[in-house]
Amino acid sequence: MKKIIIDTDTGSDDAVALLMALREPSVQVVAFTTVSGNIEVNQATYNCLQTIEYADTYRPPVYKGASHPLYCAYENADQVHGKDGMGDVGTFKKPTREAEPEFAVDAMLRLLREGDGDIEIFAIGPLTNLAMAILQEPETMKKVPHITIMGGGLPYNNPHTVWAEFNVMCDPEAADIVCGFGVPFTMVTLEACWGDMRFDEADIKRFRELNEAGRFCVDCNCTAIDLARRVHGEGSFDLPDPAAFIPLVRPDLIRTSFESYTRVDLKGEHTRGATIFETPDPSFMKEAFGQKHHEPNSLIVTELDGPGFKQYLWELLDRR
């Protein structure tokens, strides 16, 4: 069984990923750590506790983490996730438990020290907690065998910046610390949840007809669905964080991926937060001016099997 710590800024797509992880029999969630991102960390922590209620399985401890990025100003994503990060529904179950008093970074390091080097990290928010842990105890963080990240992307337009995906843009310094640290990682980019990974009106109907967990997955994403309806004329939504769960449990659903030496741009006026992918392909870069190719540090996933992903998700939601 794969052991993981889930680091999350629990917004609506995070909630679906958390529910999936708690229902996946091949995974044991050791703990949740929360961070400011989609929504500020207090609300993200509450949302995490709330989601555990809807998973209706076991209840890992939840630890509240960083409230702001390492250096830059904090920016949220409430235009997508709502003011409360969960679609502003206001009728979800209240958590029956509270977060643990220990700070998330300290808890992460303690769990890794106590473990056998078999605890992976699944990071689906800004990477502030991970970077803080690396800076605080690098030798302990080297015990992590692998990190799976939802983040990065090729240049595209969003409400924040034309170059950077939100999780990386929210704390670029933290993301670059994690990328450059030396622990191998898989990064599932924003493109991986587009195309036939997107859930349309028929899919939404299937969610609602499934059960309470299915309705929760749709309702907490209602802000994103309404935004799509205003912009595109049809209610739909995508699920970046659940897409990032796939390499951990169903790598057979990966359609397109490539090895890369990945870092984050921190200095560009227009490109700050952009993920830079250097592939091993000799034609990618001429080794001029003393520059040499780097060894890959990551697997970049840019496309998944949409129908297969949806079927897997619905099967998890319907698991008794």
Side-chain angles (χ1 to χ4, degrees):
M1 179 175 290
K2 190 183 293 288
K3 297 179 182 179
I4 60 173
I5 294 171
I6 301 183
D7 192 66
T8 175
D9 58 340
T10 324
S12 51
D13 63 320
D14 300 69
V16 180
L18 270 53
L19 194 151
M20 292 172 68
L22 289 170
R23 288 189 165 216
E24 169 53 56
S26 70
V27 165
Q28 177 189 351
V29 180
V30 176
F32 294 106
T33 53
T34 63
V35 63
S36 284
N38 289 328
I39 204 71
E40 57 85 24
V41 71
N42 290 320
Q43 185 68 52
T45 304
Y46 181 89
N47 295 349
C48 181
L49 292 162
Q50 193 171 55
T51 300
I52 292 171
E53 300 292 329
Y54 283 89
D56 194 26
T57 57
Y58 60 104
R59 296 170 179 262
V62 178
Y63 301 93
K64 184 170 69 173
S67 61
H68 54 81
L70 294 181
Y71 299 108
C72 60
Y74 166 58
E75 182 175 351
N76 68 28
D78 62 4
Q79 79 285 354
V80 175
H81 301 281
K83 298 296 183 183
D84 68 355
M86 299 284 277
D88 295 330
V89 175
T91 58
F92 291 139
K93 298 175 183 177
K94 293 183 179 180
T96 57
R97 296 173 58 216
E98 296 182 352
E100 305 297 322
E102 189 176 12
F103 183 54
V105 175
D106 296 332
M108 181 183 294
L109 290 168
R110 174 180 55 78
L111 291 166
L112 293 171
R113 284 195 302 270
E114 295 171 353
D116 296 322
D118 59 348
I119 300 176
E120 299 187 21
I121 296 177
F122 179 41
I124 51 177
L127 298 174
T128 314
N129 286 335
L130 274 66
M132 292 175 67
I134 288 169
L135 294 173
Q136 186 171 322
E137 288 187 26
E139 291 305 316
T140 300
M141 287 299 288
K142 286 179 182 177
K143 294 182 68 174
V144 178
H146 199 87
I147 302 171
T148 301
I149 298 168
M150 190 285 122
L154 303 176
Y156 69 99
N157 290 291
N158 75 9
H160 303 274
T161 169
V162 298
W163 284 91
E165 178 274 331
F166 176 79
N167 283 347
V168 175
M169 180 217 73
C170 200
D171 196 340
E173 282 80 11
D176 194 54
I177 287 170
V178 174
C179 289
F181 179 56
V183 171
F185 61 93
T186 296
M187 179 175 282
V188 181
T189 68
L190 198 64
E191 291 82 10
C193 68
W194 292 349
D196 61 8
M197 288 283 289
R198 196 165 180 86
F199 293 85
D200 60 18
E201 297 278 11
D203 295 324
I204 291 170
K205 184 173 184 290
R206 181 168 179 178
F207 271 113
R208 292 198 179 283
E209 292 175 346
L210 197 59
N211 53 26
E212 181 185 53
R215 291 188 291 276
F216 171 75
C217 290
V218 170
D219 289 343
C220 70
N221 280 281
C222 67
T223 307
I225 295 169
D226 290 344
L227 178 63
R229 188 173 287 113
R230 293 194 303 272
V231 174
H232 303 295
E234 181 183 21
S236 63
F237 68 108
D238 53 28
L239 291 173
D241 293 335
F245 187 57
I246 292 304
L248 277 164
V249 292
R250 289 291 304 275
D252 58 298
L253 295 177
I254 297 174
R255 281 181 178 167
T256 305
S257 64
F258 59 90
E259 289 189 323
S260 169
Y261 174 74
T262 303
R263 297 300 294 266
V264 177
D265 179 68
L266 303 177
K267 297 180 179 180
E269 180 181 355
H270 302 292
T271 58
R272 176 174 161 79
T275 39
I276 311 301
F277 304 119
E278 178 189 319
T279 69
D281 184 348
S283 66
F284 177 82
M285 178 181 73
K286 300 298 182 183
E287 294 187 347
F289 305 106
Q291 296 188 67
K292 300 293 183 181
H293 284 279
H294 296 89
E295 289 297 318
N297 61 1
S298 55
L299 178 72
I300 308 302
V301 177
T302 59
E303 185 183 15
L304 297 169
D305 174 357
F309 167 74
K310 291 177 182 180
Q311 185 60 36
Y312 168 64
L313 171 55
W314 285 321
E315 288 174 358
L316 282 183
L317 293 176
D318 200 31
R319 187 179 297 276
R320 295 291 185 262

